[in-house]
Amino acid sequence: MAATAHFYSSSHNSVVQLGLSSGGVLFHGTAVDDRGELAVNTEEAPTHEKVLVTYDVENMTVSVGGIAASADACADLVQRYMDGRQIVLEATTLGFAELFCITRALIALGVNTFHIIYAEPDNYTKPVGGDSYALSELIPGYKPIPHAVVDLSSDEVEAGVFFLGYEPDRMARALAEYQMIAAKSVKVVFGVPAFRAGWELNAIVPHLPMLSEQGDFDIAYCSASDPGSAFECLERTRDSLTAGAKMFIAPIGTKPCGIATAVFASLFPSETGIIFDHPRKKSKRSTGANVWHLYVVRVDRE
């Protein structure tokens, strides 16, 4: 069955202006900074049943509302919340693995419309005396996520897309662990326009030495805050594949690019795999909340 997705985006000044109806279900992660606390705990926001989602990297299990199971069975955990209510994913607090598991479950259960909210930070924090951002406390490394596993050594994998952010060590580690990536058709994507004018340089400049060594990589851009733009970027790579070939995605850039990756990989599992390094977010990694985004995702099935 062929399918695609459309993203309808709106931007707001606060979580209470998002226009969500009361009585829905909100899937969220653990808040580590101001915007996460606001997204999950603002009393003025519409009342939703709040469901905490966590992912165990080592055991590849997911917990939804306190009930844990293999990530393969995530749809079973989510299904009990599918009772006609508005479904909202709080992407500010959800990590990528949690976001992918829930998104894939919703699409597998036949949900055609769901909402995602995301808050941009007012600013990111830097270590004392440091010039670059350090957003992760611990990065376990590139470990598979069920239903998105990819064999990068296979000739079937022709192309890959890296969405890049502020931490160049993350891409460097991928290239070191998977040296066969250099033989693929690789596109690196920066968030331009960025959340704020000038922030794109914080991502581009640290990656330049690495990209100069990997001269065959294509450089592309998509809006840092628009998952629809990132989704179109992935579609272009998919369209370039030969019949029967596959691609991989490394969603190590902005969360809206991660949203696009989660939806895309859920819709095209036979052609798409994900490599991800599962960073543990630093507490207070950002301060304040700037623009709030509401993304309405509509899946069209043929």
Side-chain angles (χ1 to χ4, degrees), residues 147-233:
H147 296 286
V149 179
V150 59
D151 179 7
L152 292 174
S153 65
S154 171
D155 291 337
E156 289 185 332
V157 181
E158 287 185 348
V161 177
F162 279 88
F163 290 111
L164 299 182
Y166 292 155
E167 299 171 290
D169 289 349
R170 298 177 67 183
M171 183 177 180
R173 185 169 183 173
L175 296 177
E177 292 187 11
Y178 303 108
Q179 296 183 14
M180 68 286 290
I181 287 177
K184 313 293 183 183
S185 175
V186 175
K187 180 188 298 179
V188 297
V189 184
F190 292 103
V192 179
F195 292 155
R196 185 175 298 174
W199 280 15
E200 67 277 4
L201 296 178
N202 296 328
I204 295 172
V205 172
H207 285 92
L208 288 179
M210 186 189 322
L211 295 178
S212 65
E213 295 177 5
Q214 304 288 340
D216 293 335
F217 289 178
D218 292 329
I219 298 177
Y221 307 94
C222 73
S223 172
S225 61
D226 182 6
S229 174
F231 192 89
E232 290 172 359
C233 180

Side-chain angles (χ1 to χ4, degrees), residues 15-87:
V15 65
V16 299
Q17 296 179 0
L18 292 174
L20 298 171
S21 59
S22 297
V25 55
L26 179 80
F27 295 100
H28 67 92
T30 302
V32 297
D33 50 17
D34 297 337
R35 55 192 172 130
E37 292 286 351
L38 289 169
V40 176
N41 299 319
T42 298
E43 294 181 0
E44 293 83 359
T47 303
H48 285 69
E49 179 181 358
K50 297 175 183 177
V51 181
L52 176 64
V53 182
T54 60
Y55 180 79
D56 186 313
V57 177
E58 298 301 327
N59 297 310
M60 291 189 289
T61 58
V62 64
S63 172
V64 179
I67 301 177
S70 166
D72 289 314
C74 187
D76 295 332
L77 300 179
V78 171
Q79 188 168 23
R80 62 196 179 103
Y81 298 99
M82 302 297 99
D83 51 11
R85 290 180 292 173
Q86 185 182 69
I87 301 167

